[in-house]
Amino acid sequence: MKKFLAWIFTAVYFLIFHFLIVFVITNFFSGTIAEESLLTIFCWIIAFLVSVGLGDFTEKKIAEYYSKK
């Protein structure tokens, strides 16, 4: 159950990062499509790694909070 909860938080964090990345790339960069695509893919990779870390951290904090009660 703990891993499932961590995956859910990872997906939610990644979706938040995805919308933020798309917003920034489309509104603030007006380069060629190839440059935007490479930048977007690079940002997605970083966002996925950060999302995994945040999902795991959130799951541990929730488990810690409810184990005290």
Side-chain angles (χ1 to χ4, degrees):
M1 183 65 179
K2 290 182 180 181
K3 287 296 178 185
F4 179 72
L5 191 60
W7 278 103
I8 294 295
F9 283 119
T10 299
V12 170
Y13 285 130
F14 185 76
L15 285 174
I16 292 169
F17 286 134
H18 169 72
F19 289 120
L20 183 66
I21 289 168
V22 169
F23 176 76
V24 169
I25 296 293
T26 57
N27 290 327
F28 298 115
F29 290 99
S30 60
T32 63
I33 293 177
E35 291 171 349
E36 290 177 5
S37 297
L38 289 175
L39 182 62
T40 304
I41 292 171
F42 182 70
C43 289
W44 280 342
I45 292 169
I46 292 172
F48 178 73
L49 294 175
V50 171
S51 297
V52 169
L54 283 173
D56 189 45
F57 176 76
T58 305
E59 182 270 324
K60 286 181 182 176
K61 284 295 183 180
I62 288 173
E64 178 183 309
Y65 177 76
Y66 282 109
S67 68
K68 290 181 181 178
K69 287 188 170 187

